[in-house]
Amino acid sequence: QSFKLLGFLDVKRVPCARESVLYGSLGSFVVGLGYFLATSRVRRSCDFAVGGFISTTLGYWFYCRYNLAQQRIRQRMLKEGMRNRMLFEGSSLDPERKQTGSERSDS
């Protein structure tokens, strides 16, 4: 069963959503408790807790999505490299194939 946050964010299916919400709640607790221990102002510490939740959630969301995009780019490059290796293996275009003297003079 999926859990929808704010009615539209499906935490189970959206990459990085679950971790972002978990780190956001931890950040909210730490910031709110820290501010409360420093000032003993309850209402203001709740405001800081909400701000800590939003900033931690968004910060980790962008960090996680950036890493996910980099990983997908690396996977795409690796897949393309493997496909090119299968296509060119054994041919004259194979970069790993050692050229003989007669092939060098023809090129």
Side-chain angles (χ1 to χ4, degrees):
Q1 185 177 358
S2 65
F3 172 71
K4 291 192 177 190
L5 186 67
L6 300 174
F8 65 90
L9 181 63
D10 192 0
V11 176
K12 190 174 183 180
R13 296 185 187 201
V14 176
C16 301
R18 179 180 178 268
E19 293 84 7
S20 297
V21 171
L22 289 175
Y23 281 119
S25 61
L26 180 65
S28 169
F29 178 75
V30 168
V31 169
L33 183 65
Y35 191 83
F36 176 74
L37 291 175
T39 63
S40 297
R41 295 173 64 190
V42 177
R43 184 179 171 109
R44 191 75 174 151
S45 63
C46 290
D47 293 342
F48 270 82
V50 170
F53 175 77
I54 292 171
S55 61
T56 308
T57 302
L58 288 177
Y60 189 76
W61 171 270
F62 288 121
Y63 170 76
C64 184
R65 294 297 286 200
Y66 177 75
N67 285 338
L68 186 65
Q70 281 187 330
Q71 182 182 10
R72 287 182 179 168
I73 289 170
R74 284 192 301 265
Q75 285 176 346
R76 194 176 317 130
M77 288 173 52
L78 183 63
K79 189 185 228 183
E80 186 176 329
M82 290 172 58
R83 183 176 52 231
N84 287 341
R85 170 141 181 152
M86 288 189 314
L87 284 173
F88 298 130
E89 190 171 22
S91 70
S92 61
L93 299 174
D94 187 7
E96 292 184 9
R97 184 175 175 203
K98 295 184 179 183
Q99 296 180 344
T100 61
S102 63
E103 288 178 347
R104 283 189 200 136
S105 63
D106 291 342
S107 312

